[in-house]
Amino acid sequence: MRAVGVTEFGGPEALQLVDVPAEPLGPGQVRLRVTAATVNPTDTYSRNGTYAQRDPVKQFPYVPGMDVAGELVELGEGVDLDITVGERVMGVVVPTGAHGGYREDIVLPAGSIARVPDGVDDAAASTLPMNGLTARLALDRMALQPGQVLAVTGAAGAFGGYVVQLAKVEGLTVVADASEADEELVRGLGADVVVRRGDDVAARIREQFPDGVDGLADGSVQDAAVLPAVRDGGTVTTVRGYRGDGQRDLRVHAVMVRQYAEEGAALDRLREQVEKGELTLRVAQTYPAAEAAEAHRRLEAGGVRGRLVLVF
């Protein structure tokens, strides 16, 4: 079975096509023939070895990837889905060792997949599961009410963009950061107020909301630097494990998509929201799987808007 992985950790050049065995299909699981796998920033940490110590698997190859789309080809014992073999599906992957999304055949829990949205190709569909579910988890943890104010950093990115759009559907007022080049994009996603991104973004948000915002989704991983934007007692979600500074009674939630990795109903709800036009899927470019190294080089060069996708 073809996959893209590393046999030693390193830069983008470490990625190569590797042969991996087909995974066994167990009870409650499904098998996908993968046609598209999204390249996310977290994949670079799998590739360079940053995540290796916490991975229960300690042997090469390591295969990155947390988002896939393709064809449902087999159901394990006890699987009860309203999706049938042969349908196009998307799924979220919790990688471990060679079990990552950059492979043409993958076994997942049945709760980790949903149908591809109508009218959407596999490349676009593959950009939704991981970032969409992380955005959904962030909003669920904050539990803000309609009319409250949410700040979003990294709003031009995939996670941040989904947070902005989901928050607007739920009646929140959204203040988001953007570079000058990205301001039109972020306004188009639905942000009510856009402030210039940068090290002083918290001060810029406070200029617009002097009492502080009710919630913050910190997609740009500014951690302590952006906490001053939030009112005393407000709520914050972070995406890289940061748990706050313990001050001002802020409720800080470190969200990890594995907490929602088998929330099939939540993923299917995201599908519906794409079909309604409430969520926008953005593909910057597709690459043949054999050119994964080039995709990682482009991602690490910065400035990519939308997702890069490997196609098998």
Side-chain angles (χ1 to χ4, degrees), residues 192-209:
D192 299 283
V193 177
V194 178
V195 300
R196 191 65 68 237
R197 65 177 298 180
D199 294 339
D200 60 348
V201 68
R204 294 177 186 273
I205 292 170
R206 279 278 184 167
E207 288 174 2
Q208 299 295 321
F209 299 92

Side-chain angles (χ1 to χ4, degrees), residues 205-270:
I205 292 170
R206 279 278 184 167
E207 288 174 2
Q208 299 295 321
F209 299 92
D211 295 332
V213 298
D214 300 296
L216 164 71
D218 185 23
S220 60
V221 197
Q222 295 195 49
D223 295 339
V226 77
L227 295 183
V230 185
R231 65 170 174 81
D232 291 355
T235 184
V236 179
T237 50
T238 68
V239 293
R240 296 280 173 82
Y242 177 68
R243 297 184 180 277
D245 58 10
Q247 301 180 28
R248 297 193 298 123
D249 296 320
L250 296 179
R251 293 174 289 116
V252 180
H253 308 274
V255 296
M256 303 292 180
V257 76
R258 67 174 63 91
Q259 297 168 294
Y260 267 20
E262 295 186 41
E263 295 290 338
L267 184 57
D268 197 55
R269 172 64 178 144
L270 294 174

